[in-house]
Amino acid sequence: MNIILLGPPGAGKGTQAKRLEDRRGLVQLSTGDMLRAEVKSGSDLGERARGLMEAGQLVPDELVIGIIANRIDAPDCKNGFILDGFPRTVAQAEALDAMLAQKAMGLDAVVEMKVNDAALTERIVGRFTCAGCGEGYHETFKRPVKDGVCDKCGGTEFTRRKDDNEETVKSRLQAYHEQTAPILPYYADRGLLLEVDGMADIDEVTRQIDAVLEDAAAG
Ligand code: AP5
Ligand code: MG
Ligand code: ZN
């Protein structure tokens, strides 16, 4: 299956994409993670993206479209993928359709994770990530079983994103409402848009995603 997880910053896209990877053998394609890797490596592309990301603004379409076009060609994407954080503009959605059509691939479902803005700041400000394996955590909603030790890899170093602060969250939400929300009707018109309640707890959201994907697969 090829799936898009769509939702505002902090909706839980990354959290649920990792679970879909584990359970369905799909690969997570997160443009945010790919861009952060470019920033970390100090590449030209990373240098172009850095300031925009730190300000909570979208990076230019052609830059992320190029990244995804390369990544989607890799053999591991043949078994199915979960797009997390892409597309984020109508231009990106159109570019995705064109690149999939060229490869005789398609989309099976676009899952919208509905969350109200008030909850998002709390989720984002409390987030931290294992430096070793990338597992995501939250100070209140998803603490490691043993404080300071990653459940998955036993690592003891954690990182926080530079854009995870209250001011930047405001810009990120604004970018979502102005530039990303317009792609919802784009997918609704194609009969691909499915909704889940992103306000529910993490396990319940997983159950709802499973349920809507079963329905989509049943056709
Ligand atoms: P990106 O990395 O995609 O960030 P984002 O969209 O802002 O989303 P987040 O990663 O913050 O949230 P998430 O939905 O993954 O939530 P998570 O599962 O971590 O993009 C970053 C930047 O890169 C952009 O601002 C832009 O500059 C650039 N960029 C990326 N893609 C781009 C594109 N296509 N075009 C242009 N620019 C692009 O969950 C959040 C927290 O909440 C976690 O701590 C988690 O444990 C917790 N949590 C998750 N689910 C629940 C739940 N159900 N209940 C309680 N807590 C929960
Ligand atoms: Mg994410
Ligand atoms: Zn870890």
Side-chain angles (χ1 to χ4, degrees), residues 1-5 13-30 34 71-72 74-84 105-111 152 209-210 213-214 217:
M1 270 191 131
N2 299 328
I3 304 164
I4 296 177
L5 289 184
K13 303 181 295 293
T15 302
Q16 298 297 333
K18 289 241 151 49
R19 289 184 166 204
L20 285 165
E21 266 196 321
D22 291 346
R23 291 181 359 276
R24 289 177 181 252
L26 307 172
V27 300
Q28 175 193 14
L29 305 180
S30 159
M34 294 173 202
R71 183 63 185 85
I72 242 168
D76 62 343
C77 290
K78 296 271 183 298
N79 303 325
F81 54 77
I82 314 136
L83 285 164
D84 158 9
M105 292 161 95
L107 288 170
D108 298 286
V110 179
V111 180
K152 262 207 167 161
I209 291 175
D210 274 339
L213 292 181
E214 294 311 322

Side-chain angles (χ1 to χ4, degrees), residues 6 48 58 84 88 110 127 141 143 163 168 175 196 201:
L6 196 61
R48 284 183 65 197
L58 297 187
D84 158 9
R88 257 177 153 96
V110 179
R127 168 168 55 192
F141 306 124
R143 301 185 67 90
D163 60 345
T168 310
V196 299
D201 67 43

